[in-house]
Amino acid sequence: MQTVEHLYKFSLARRAKTELVTSYLLLSLACDLTALNTMCGITGQLNFGQNIDRSVIEQMTATLRHRGPDASASYVSPDNYCALGHARLSIIDLNAGQQPLCNEDGSLWLSYNGECYNFAELRAQLIQTGHSFRSHCDSEVIVHLYEQYGLKFLQHLRGMFALAIWDQKLKQLILARDRMGQKPLFYQHNENTLNFASECKAILAADTNPARMDNTAIAEYLLYGYLAGPRTAFENIKRLPPASYITFDHKGNTSGPVSYWHIPQERNYNGSYQQARQQVRDTLTHAVQIRMVSDVPLGSFLSGGTDSTIITGIMAEASHQPIKTCAIGFEEKKYNELPFSRIAANAFNCDHIEHIVQPQCRETIAQLLEYYDEPFADASALPTFHLCRLTRQRVTVALSGDGGDEAFGGYRRHKAIRLAATIGRSMILRKFLHLGQKMGISADEHHSRLSYLSRFLSYAGLPDWQCYTSWLGVFDRDFISQIAPNLTLTDDCTRLAQDLFAQHKKPAQAAILLDNLHYLPGDLNTKTDIASMAHSLEVRCPFQDHKLIELASTLPVNWLIAGNNGKKILRDAFSDILPNPIRRRPKMGFALPTGQWFRKELRDMFCDKVLNGSMITGSIISKPAAEKLLQHNNQNQKDNGKQLWTLLMLQLWADRWAK
């Protein structure tokens, strides 16, 4: 059997003659010794001057059993300063990689949730520098990488992860998170204790005090429908930002969070469009191929949109077997993408299955609340939950197209902000703005072109940063003051938006960057992580490979957005594998007919839970304002489904988790 070292040298030699894609794939796939880690849940605790209670760590870890149903374990340091917990979902090398894991002398301990896709390459390099390995899993590579580089080890990782390293010699704990925020990590720093975990519920299990709601975070939730900043929905729990680490010592001293990576902000690509198009294709193809390594069944989500179709097409080219694909649809024709997913599935000869989401969703909503321990108002969480459940029945790992719109400018708001800036603040525009504010759009037309035209005319006259937050948000600031008059709205995204739009001359560039920094980790990655882990399914996202993000962030905006079309260079790079109906179709997204649902199936639930709920009686939400939203929706005056869903999810979350 060839050694990893031999394969690595062979790979380096081939790079002089062939693409990196081929050489890396040979390295990763030819060696049956290699072993990626697993998706899982991590927990831990530092007690400053007190003894660790192992039963608390076990209790914390037990709350994350859905994330890691295959095994669980814990470690307590000899001096009783630190404890680590781990719940494991096995993906590759099913009999190896148990955690928490230590180095040779037991001075370093790791609890790790994620995948390091370049671990074989890193392992070979570390062996050349003198490190010895007892296993072939990526978690041990991370331990030795920290030994070699200290806190700079994070810069070498290519993957998705949240991790904790206890350095016994320094009496120091390091918590870190991947660049794009695909894997979550929360912590609670009190006077005597630090608790951390993959989900808030594990921290709540260790805290004897009632979980208190953070009203400032709730105001931010009403604005966007999700939370992305360091603040969480709980007063004393924080979220570690993406691409950052934080350290704590045994006395409770802390440093950070510290950013170890930044998305490039200068669009300074110095090659031709043709060169960039080929580089996009090569980089994404490589990102897909290194995510296809698995010892368990693997498939893909296939909505029939550009991103998922490209991912599935690359997989089909690299596989000798039909790719197992799954798709979700709706009975309402205008929301149903299944015809496009079938076109893609037929084009690539996929082993394809589908599921229709029914509006009788009370049971699913109740299930969501057990996993979403922060309020979350993206209604596509519901079909995503169904999609992950359906997919898990066939495979354990699935590739997703999440991140393609953020990297390559695929959202309508990107085009709208760019068009508004192109038109400028002309007199003609101001006349149309007045018209747009008066246009009445019925509930059935919410996702129509007329609806988007009305929104464009309403937002185009606003400052660039406010135009962006209006497109992205749920409630505008004026309405929040009406529906939640006692909440103070001071959100991190607004400050970030103001800064970035002031820095960048092209508003679309700032909008794309904001989506990567705020919307992607706060909304899409939260939704995908929780829905997939609820069903012990691992989801890998090639579009969030940081090498691809770095490339896309240097490309001129007009290579991404051309006229009314987004993701131009991506479509051109893969024009040969995109079926014509999919290449020509406009962006649809995972839209739901929530406005219709609140006129029928969800009306009684809203009246019962929201209009008579604790948010109303506690004077957080204004009952007249909430009633008006429901009335206008049910009289077809306006589609308020998104706003009504946001209030319903907030109240149901408060009933389940908050005091």
Side-chain angles (χ1 to χ4, degrees):
M1 182 180 298
Q2 298 184 47
T3 65
V4 174
E5 298 96 311
H6 175 82
L7 287 167
Y8 180 64
K9 292 177 182 178
F10 176 69
S11 172
L12 292 176
R14 282 189 61 90
R15 290 181 191 179
K17 300 179 180 180
T18 62
E19 296 178 356
L20 175 63
V21 171
T22 304
S23 60
Y24 189 91
L25 201 59
L26 283 170
L27 171 65
S28 297
L29 298 181
C31 183
D32 61 359
L33 290 175
T34 58
L36 289 173
N37 183 53
T38 59
M39 287 297 96
C40 59
I42 66 173
T43 63
Q45 185 178 84
L46 287 182
N47 271 0
F48 314 130
Q50 302 181 32
N51 289 330
I52 293 286
D53 184 348
R54 186 185 287 269
S55 66
V56 173
I57 301 302
E58 293 173 348
Q59 184 177 357
M60 294 173 67
T61 306
T63 67
L64 303 181
R65 185 62 188 269
H66 56 284
R67 299 182 72 95
D70 295 328
S72 64
S74 61
Y75 162 78
V76 177
S77 65
D79 49 25
N80 252 303
Y81 286 137
C82 178
L84 303 176
H86 190 270
R88 187 186 190 214
L89 170 64
S90 300
I91 301 296
I92 291 182
D93 197 350
L94 307 185
N95 296 319
Q98 286 80 7
Q99 294 186 48
L101 177 144
C102 67
N103 64 347
E104 297 94 328
D105 62 7
S107 62
L108 296 176
W109 284 83
L110 169 73
S111 188
Y112 164 62
N113 168 26
E115 303 282 13
C116 175
Y117 301 114
N118 63 332
F119 81 98
E121 194 170 352
L122 293 173
R123 185 178 189 275
Q125 293 171 358
L126 289 166
I127 289 174
Q128 289 180 341
T129 60
H131 289 268
S132 299
F133 286 80
R134 295 168 296 163
S135 71
H136 302 277
C137 59
D138 62 341
S139 50
E140 190 180 5
V141 168
I142 291 174
V143 170
H144 288 287
L145 207 61
Y146 173 75
E147 285 183 311
Q148 182 71 24
Y149 298 107
L151 290 171
K152 293 183 179 180
F153 82 103
L154 294 161
Q155 299 171 7
H156 297 265
L157 299 178
R158 186 174 187 176
M160 56 178 178
F161 55 85
L163 60 84
I165 294 178
W166 171 246
D167 189 326
Q168 181 67 36
K169 293 179 180 178
L170 297 179
K171 300 292 190 293
Q172 178 176 263
L173 178 74
I174 301 101
L175 304 179
R177 197 171 171 209
D178 67 71
R179 293 171 178 84
M180 303 307 296
Q182 295 178 73
K183 291 290 120 182
L185 192 55
F186 301 89
Y187 63 97
Q188 177 193 59
H189 188 196
N190 297 325
E191 182 179 356
N192 298 318
T193 308
L194 169 78
N195 296 311
F196 68 88
S198 297
E199 297 180 13
C200 289
K201 62 173 64 69
I203 296 176
L204 297 176
D207 192 354
T208 57
N209 298 314
R212 296 181 59 85
M213 181 171 60
D214 186 324
N215 285 344
T216 303
I218 299 307
E220 186 174 338
Y221 162 80
L222 291 174
L223 185 61
Y224 298 108
Y226 61 88
L227 296 171
R231 182 183 289 112
T232 73
F234 303 99
E235 280 187 349
N236 58 348
I237 299 178
K238 292 184 178 181
R239 186 188 343 269
L240 186 65
S244 67
Y245 67 86
I246 189 171
T247 63
F248 299 88
D249 70 16
H250 67 291
K251 295 180 180 179
N253 300 313
T254 182
S255 177
V258 177
S259 297
Y260 63 86
W261 178 82
H262 298 277
I263 297 175
Q265 297 194 28
E266 297 297 327
R267 294 194 172 271
N268 54 3
Y269 187 81
N270 58 10
S272 67
Y273 182 82
Q274 290 73 21
Q275 290 172 324
R277 184 177 61 189
Q278 186 61 48
Q279 195 171 350
V280 166
R281 178 156 185 152
D282 292 344
T283 306
L284 181 57
T285 298
H286 182 206
V288 171
Q289 291 175 333
I290 62 177
R291 285 163 174 79
M292 291 180 66
V293 180
S294 176
D295 282 346
V296 293
L298 179 143
S300 75
F301 297 157
L302 184 58
S303 68
T306 299
D307 302 332
S308 66
T309 301
I310 289 174
I311 296 300
T312 305
I314 296 172
M315 294 176 69
E317 288 182 347
S319 176
H320 297 297
Q321 301 294 329
I323 301 298
K324 295 182 183 295
T325 55
C326 302
I328 293 292
F330 302 93
E331 292 180 342
E332 295 84 350
K333 185 177 180 180
K334 67 179 67 176
Y335 297 96
N336 187 31
E337 292 188 279
L338 290 181
F340 291 101
S341 67
R342 292 167 193 157
I343 291 172
N346 291 333
F348 305 131
N349 191 32
C350 297
D351 181 1
H352 185 67
I353 60 171
E354 302 170 348
H355 175 72
I356 297 292
V357 177
Q358 300 295 333
Q360 292 79 16
C361 55
R362 283 176 174 261
E363 180 180 349
T364 304
I365 290 174
Q367 291 174 329
L368 290 177
L369 292 169
E370 293 302 310
Y371 298 104
Y372 285 85
D373 40 26
E374 289 190 280
F376 188 77
D378 186 340
S380 65
L382 192 149
T384 303
F385 190 83
H386 283 290
L387 177 61
C388 290
R389 180 166 57 191
L390 177 70
T391 304
R392 186 61 177 90
Q393 294 171 6
R394 314 180 75 208
V395 301
T396 310
V397 177
L399 271 62
S400 165
D402 283 355
D405 290 303
E406 289 77 11
F408 292 97
Y411 289 122
R412 282 189 172 100
R413 58 179 172 268
H414 299 154
K415 294 177 285 185
I417 291 170
R418 184 170 184 262
L419 179 60
T422 301
I423 294 174
R425 309 295 184 255
S426 66
M427 290 296 297
I428 295 176
L429 176 60
R430 283 194 286 270
K431 290 180 180 180
F432 275 109
L433 293 179
H434 182 70
L435 172 63
Q437 292 168 356
K438 290 187 174 182
M439 291 176 68
I441 307 299
S442 74
D444 289 334
E445 294 175 321
H446 180 68
H447 292 283
S448 68
R449 293 181 179 179
L450 185 61
S451 173
Y452 281 99
L453 174 62
S454 176
R455 295 175 66 189
F456 171 78
L457 295 175
S458 297
Y459 302 155
L462 300 173
D464 291 332
W465 68 268
Q466 195 171 354
C467 180
Y468 170 84
T469 56
S470 296
W471 276 102
L472 183 65
V474 179
F475 294 104
D476 62 39
R477 295 171 174 276
D478 292 338
F479 195 78
I480 288 177
S481 66
Q482 299 176 32
I483 200 165
N486 296 324
L487 296 182
T488 301
L489 183 57
T490 55
D491 68 282
D492 297 325
C493 183
T494 295
R495 289 189 292 271
L496 181 62
Q498 290 173 332
D499 291 343
L500 289 178
F501 277 100
Q503 293 172 21
H504 296 282
K505 295 180 179 179
K506 296 183 177 180
Q509 181 176 343
I512 292 171
L513 183 58
L514 268 168
D515 276 338
N516 280 283
L517 295 174
H518 194 272
Y519 176 71
L520 181 61
D523 189 304
L524 291 190
N525 285 344
T526 297
K527 175 183 67 177
T528 299
D529 174 76
I530 293 179
S532 60
M533 291 290 93
H535 298 97
S536 301
L537 173 73
E538 177 183 326
V539 176
R540 302 174 179 175
C541 303
F543 277 108
Q544 296 186 50
D545 187 284
H546 80 273
K547 296 293 185 181
L548 182 66
I549 296 294
E550 290 173 345
L551 171 62
S553 298
T554 65
L555 303 178
V557 171
N558 62 351
W559 290 5
L560 309 182
I561 307 170
N564 194 41
N565 295 317
K567 297 185 285 194
K568 172 178 168 53
I569 194 169
L570 182 65
R571 297 173 192 267
D572 289 349
F574 292 93
S575 59
D576 58 319
I577 68 172
L578 281 171
N580 284 333
I582 294 175
R583 185 152 46 92
R584 294 194 303 263
R585 68 175 294 207
K587 172 70 179 174
M588 181 174 179
F590 225 160
L592 275 77
T594 49
Q596 298 179 32
W597 290 0
F598 279 103
R599 294 200 304 272
K600 299 176 183 178
E601 293 82 4
L602 294 181
R603 179 174 180 174
D604 290 344
M605 188 178 189
F606 185 87
C607 293
D608 179 43
K609 298 296 184 180
V610 177
L611 298 184
N612 297 315
S614 61
M615 290 289 172
I616 297 291
T617 59
S619 300
I620 295 177
I621 302 298
S622 164
K623 186 173 184 177
E627 288 176 328
K628 189 175 182 179
L629 282 173
L630 183 63
Q631 180 183 3
H632 286 178
N633 183 82
N634 292 349
Q635 292 177 352
N636 290 342
Q637 295 181 26
K638 188 177 181 181
D639 184 346
N640 288 324
K642 187 175 183 179
Q643 290 77 13
L644 295 171
W645 184 272
T646 299
L647 294 180
L648 178 61
M649 292 300 105
L650 177 61
Q651 181 61 69
L652 294 176
W653 167 81
D655 291 343
R656 173 65 180 85
W657 293 104
K659 302 297 181 184

